[in-house]
Every structure is written in C-alpha cells, then in structure tokens.
Amino acid sequence: MAQTIRQATIEDIPQLVDLLLLDAKERHSADPVLWKLADDASAQIEKALTFALTAMQQPFQQIWQVAEDDGEIHGVIHSMLLPVPPIYAGLKGDPGLILPDSFVSSNAPEGTVMTLLDAAENALIYAGAKIIISSFVVGDLWREAFETRNYEPLTHYMSRTNFGDQAMPACLRKATKEDVSGIVARSAENREVLYSIDPFWATHSDADMRFAGWMTHCLTYQDRDMIVMGNPDALEGYIIAQPATRLHFPPAHDISGNGVVDDYYHPELADTIRLTRDGEGATDLLRAAEAAFANRGIRANFVVCAAGWLSKIDLLEAAGYDRAMVWSIKR
C-alpha cells in the first residue's frame, strides 16, 4: 500500500504517543538538563494531543499530520499559526510555524520527511500563512530538509545549563516602575537592530505604548526577575529572566527548571558585527539573569538571539552558550 499523508485523528493517539516519546528522548540525549523528561511524559503527550485534536476552543490553530503506511504511522509533523507579538507589525499576518516535535521513525520509507514537510507547508498556506518558519533541535535530518526547501536561520536559541553559585554584579539592580520609560527606550533601540537584521521584525506603530504596558504588568509578576543597569533617567540596559513556556518545549519535557531570556539589550550590542568595550556591560546583565535563575532553582535557560546578530552570538558563546534550537524562515 502506498504511503498516505493525512490529518491526525484521535484514533492515532496511541501510535503518536510512542513516536513523540522517541522524539523527546532524542532531545533528552542531546541535553538532559535542558530537555528533561517529565516523569509522566507519555501521559503529558497524550493529554496535549487529545486537546489539540478535540478541543473546540483553542488559543491558536494547530495542525497535526501523519505519514501512514498499511495502518502504521511512520511520521508526524506538527505546525501552527503563530500569533504575532503585539510590538511587531505582522504586516503579512500570523506566520506558520513548523514545531520541533515533528518526527519520523527509523523504518519510515525514504522521502517521508520531505513529504511531510510539503504537506505541512501546504496546510499552513491553506490556513492563511504567508510566511513559514521552521524549528529543529537535534540531528541533521530536519536541518537538511529545511535547507533543501530554502529555509534560512532566523533565530538561534542559545542555551547554558547549571549556572553554579553566582551573585548579581554590584552595578545592577531590580527594576521598578520608574525604570519603565528607560526600558522602553532601550527596547526601541533593540527593535531597530532587529529590523536592520531582517525586515521580518518590522515594529508596530504602537510598539512603545504596548511594551510599556507589558513591562508595567510584568512588574507585578512574582515568577520573573527584571534587572536594569544605570539610573532611571539614564538607563544603560535591561534583561528579563522569565520562566519557560510551552511554545519552545514540547509536552514530554519538564520545564519547571528552565528559563528564557528574550527581552535583553545593552548599547554595547548595537553594532551587529562587533561588541563595544568587549560587551562588559552586556555580559554583566547576562550574568545577573543567570544569578536570578540560579536563586530560583532554574538549571537551564534559552537566550533568544537573531541569527544575524553576530556580536550578540559572540558574547553568548564567550559566556558558555551553545545553539540548542534554530528557527528558520523560508525565503
């Protein structure tokens, strides 16, 4: 019987749980701290699949597709329409995202990865996506498939684990409401750098107002640390150490010990090629975030970095970070 590519159904869940657990174990073997397996990994996968395939009201549109041959599922690809963050313009609407919990078994027919990728792209275009982004974590199989389909790196997720005993550098402090305007001003500089790297990061006309509202709201959260350098009237830089979310971690993984740094900027990073002053201030901010994570019992983190921001990548690598996941955009 010829291989069939189709939408997943609830009847597929038992086979999909087995496949996705194998997928999660591959990530775990690459970095057992960052990709820690949940004690009830199979149950968490089943719960997520059941919701995705049956719930009438969902926060975003998910698409699960399978490759089946004679009743056996050899592969699965997971995609979604990714809501555009409020500070970005999203001129082409919500992009489609192919998620890292896509997997093909070792006994799958040759070409299954490419066939699934074609199906996912077509489904996302049908759903309205005008931009398609891919993500992968380990191995060459998916990376090579995306490169063959003209995907180019857009964002690197740089990771470090086990921060040890660190203290916050003396030149830094916790943010207060008086710092919000300075954070917003530095964030605007950060967004200008991102846009210079790739127009994908076009800024919304109300970005400053929206970001100010979000920063003010974040000050009320007890699960994150907002750290700044300098006085409120001359803020030098900022970094926010926050808990990981499911956007970056499939349900088989325990994310209670993971953090994410996305909002992070210092003027030493303004030149995308070379660091100013060897990135001393920017490194102090990074170390402060790591200390904050360590104090909360966080053992691993992602720092989100544009693939074209070479100076920031150099700083992160010098600080002990490696690429753990790559998001690429189809050109």
Side-chain angles (χ1 to χ4, degrees), residues 117-247:
L117 179 53
D118 286 341
E121 290 178 348
N122 289 335
L124 288 169
I125 292 169
Y126 182 79
K130 294 180 174 57
I131 296 173
I132 299 180
I133 299 169
S134 67
S135 58
F136 67 91
V137 174
V138 295
D140 293 330
L141 191 64
W142 289 97
R143 177 186 60 78
E144 291 173 355
F146 293 134
E147 288 177 353
T148 299
R149 287 291 192 268
N150 297 318
Y151 287 81
E152 296 177 359
L154 178 70
T155 305
H156 291 316
Y157 289 80
M158 309 290 287
S159 178
R160 184 178 178 222
T161 58
N162 297 322
F163 308 118
D165 295 327
Q166 297 192 50
M168 183 181 297
C171 58
L172 283 88
R173 59 184 175 80
K174 294 290 186 71
T176 68
K177 62 182 180 180
E178 286 75 24
D179 296 307
V180 170
S181 61
I183 292 174
V184 171
R186 290 304 186 192
S187 173
E189 295 173 20
N190 180 63
R191 295 193 301 271
E192 287 178 4
V193 174
L194 286 171
Y195 183 71
S196 73
I197 293 171
D198 196 300
F200 174 81
W201 284 292
T203 300
H204 194 280
S205 58
D206 293 331
D208 285 353
M209 181 183 67
R210 293 180 175 190
F211 193 68
W214 174 237
M215 290 296 97
T216 301
H217 191 59
C218 282
L219 286 169
T220 68
Y221 287 166
Q222 301 301 310
D223 64 350
R224 64 201 61 197
D225 293 276
M226 301 173 62
I227 302 166
V228 295
M229 176 183 291
N231 297 321
D233 57 349
L235 204 67
E236 296 176 44
Y238 70 97
I239 193 166
I240 301 174
Q242 60 190 38
T245 69
R246 280 293 166 207
L247 176 61

Side-chain angles (χ1 to χ4, degrees), residues 228-266:
V228 295
M229 176 183 291
N231 297 321
D233 57 349
L235 204 67
E236 296 176 44
Y238 70 97
I239 193 166
I240 301 174
Q242 60 190 38
T245 69
R246 280 293 166 207
L247 176 61
H248 304 117
F249 294 87
H253 299 290
D254 177 358
I255 62 173
S256 61
N258 291 355
V260 173
V261 169
D262 193 355
D263 298 304
Y264 166 38
Y265 184 74
H266 190 285

Side-chain angles (χ1 to χ4, degrees), residues 57-73:
Q57 298 291 329
Q58 302 199 25
F60 46 79
Q61 183 177 348
Q62 296 188 66
I63 304 170
W64 286 90
Q65 295 165 288
V66 298
E68 182 184 45
D69 189 356
D70 198 21
E72 183 178 356
I73 295 176

Side-chain angles (χ1 to χ4, degrees), residues 13-14 16-28 35-49 101 246 250-255:
I13 288 178
L16 290 178
V17 169
D18 292 341
L19 282 177
L20 293 173
L21 187 58
L22 289 173
D23 175 49
K25 287 179 177 178
E26 281 195 6
R27 283 187 293 272
H28 177 75
W35 302 107
K36 180 181 178 182
L37 288 176
D39 293 336
D40 58 345
S42 293
Q44 291 300 324
I45 295 170
E46 181 177 358
K47 179 181 176 182
L49 284 169
D101 53 346
R246 280 293 166 207
H253 299 290
D254 177 358
I255 62 173

